[in-house]
């Protein structure tokens, strides 16, 4: 992870300006490093995280490795915030990310995209192996003192994919998973809903 945070190229001008401003005011290397990390969860913010993903995609292509991007949505976070307060929502969010980290490999990348949306990338795994890890995430969260769950959409890297293509396909997969969950909840699950 230290390699990921050091000297990353391809950052947006705003991110570079932020880092330069921190350097100009005498911020330590650690403070500058932390400017690219979400304070609550400790994972990459979107801009620097996506720059790292671009490099990981290039590396996977160079090494001819499989590469999977997971679009992860934390279930019911808004309802927790509304019913129990934002501190409870934050505890749940931190626990979910801690659990995801435990089930992924140390070098897999987690990036926060929004309030309850994250992107995880895994080189050298296929979609089935990646989904097994997120199944374990949900099993562990179900037994936690801060229970939660995630819905996941996956996309495997294709020869002509850009990062935008991967994210769009994983997001579409996530949407299909949500639709299946709604149909299952109402008892309207067909045979075609059972597999991707």
């Amino acid at each position: 992870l230290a390699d990921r945070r050091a000297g990353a190229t391809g950052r947006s001008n705003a991110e570079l300006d932020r880092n330069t401003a921190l350097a100009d005011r005498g911020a330590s290397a650690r403070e500058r490093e932390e400017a690219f990390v979400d304070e609550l969860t400790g994972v990459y913010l979107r801009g620097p995280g996506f720059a790292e993903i671009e490099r990981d995609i290039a590396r996977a292509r160079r090494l001819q490795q499989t590469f999977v991007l997971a679009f992860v949505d934390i279930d019911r976070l808004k309802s927790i915030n509304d019913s129990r307060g934002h501190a409870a929502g934050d505890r749940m969010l931190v626990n979910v990310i801690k659990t995801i980290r435990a089930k992924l490999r140390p070098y897999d990348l987690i990036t926060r995209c929004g309030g309850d949306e994250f992107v995880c990338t895994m080189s050298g795994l296929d979609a089935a192996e990646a989904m097994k890890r997120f199944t374990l995430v949900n099993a562990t969260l179900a037994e936690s003192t801060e229970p939660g769950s995630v819905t996941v959409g996956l996309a495997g890297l294709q020869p002509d994919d850009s990062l935008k293509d991967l994210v769009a396909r994983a997001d579409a997969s996530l949407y299909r998973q949500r639709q299946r969950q709604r149909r299952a909840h109402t008892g309207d699950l067909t045979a075609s809903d059972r597999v991707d």
Side-chain angles (χ1 to χ4, degrees), residues 17 52 106 174:
D17 289 347
E52 291 295 331
L174 175 69

Side-chain angles (χ1 to χ4, degrees), residues 1 6 13 28 33-34 44-45 57-58 81 100 132 144 177 179 185:
L1 190 59
N13 288 337
S28 69
E33 183 177 296
E34 289 173 351
Y44 273 113
L45 295 169
I57 289 171
N81 284 337
I100 291 173
K132 282 179 189 174
S144 172
Q177 293 286 11
Q179 294 298 99
H185 184 70

Side-chain angles (χ1 to χ4, degrees), residues 16-38:
L16 289 171
D17 289 347
R18 182 178 179 194
N19 203 28
T20 302
L22 285 165
D24 287 348
R25 70 168 174 79
S28 69
R30 181 172 180 83
E31 286 176 308
R32 292 194 304 273
E33 183 177 296
E34 289 173 351
F36 298 108
V37 174
D38 177 56

Side-chain angles (χ1 to χ4, degrees), residues 28-182:
S28 69
R30 181 172 180 83
E31 286 176 308
R32 292 194 304 273
E33 183 177 296
E34 289 173 351
F36 298 108
V37 174
D38 177 56
E39 186 178 336
L40 180 64
T41 60
V43 304
Y44 273 113
L45 295 169
R46 182 183 178 110
F50 276 27
E52 291 295 331
I53 295 170
E54 294 274 15
R55 278 187 285 285
D56 284 352
I57 289 171
R59 187 178 306 114
R61 285 198 165 112
R62 190 172 64 250
L63 299 175
Q64 298 182 341
Q65 291 181 320
T66 55
F67 185 89
V68 177
L69 184 143
F71 203 101
V72 180
D73 187 50
I74 299 177
D75 300 329
R76 298 177 299 279
L77 182 61
K78 184 180 185 312
S79 66
I80 297 284
N81 284 337
D82 291 346
S83 63
R84 294 172 46 203
H86 285 85
D90 285 352
R91 284 194 304 273
M92 178 184 168
L93 195 152
V94 167
N95 187 50
V96 168
I97 295 305
K98 177 182 166 188
T99 305
I100 291 173
R101 272 198 170 122
K103 300 308 176 190
L104 297 185
R105 300 161 303 178
Y107 49 87
D108 291 330
L109 183 65
I110 307 172
T111 299
R112 189 170 189 179
C113 293
D116 59 358
E117 295 173 339
F118 293 79
V119 164
C120 304
T121 54
M122 295 149 279
S123 298
L125 296 183
D126 62 22
E129 293 168 325
M131 188 52 83
K132 282 179 189 174
R133 292 174 185 267
F134 285 102
T135 300
L136 289 172
V137 166
N138 276 333
T140 302
L141 288 171
E143 299 172 359
S144 172
T145 55
E146 291 286 341
S149 63
V150 296
T151 302
V152 180
L154 299 176
L157 183 64
Q158 301 298 320
D160 296 326
D161 275 342
S162 66
L163 174 55
K164 186 177 178 180
D165 296 331
L166 268 176
V167 170
R169 281 208 321 280
D171 190 30
S173 175
L174 175 69
Y175 176 77
R176 289 193 300 274
Q177 293 286 11
R178 282 266 184 244
Q179 294 298 99
R180 287 186 193 121
Q181 289 169 353
R182 289 187 187 104

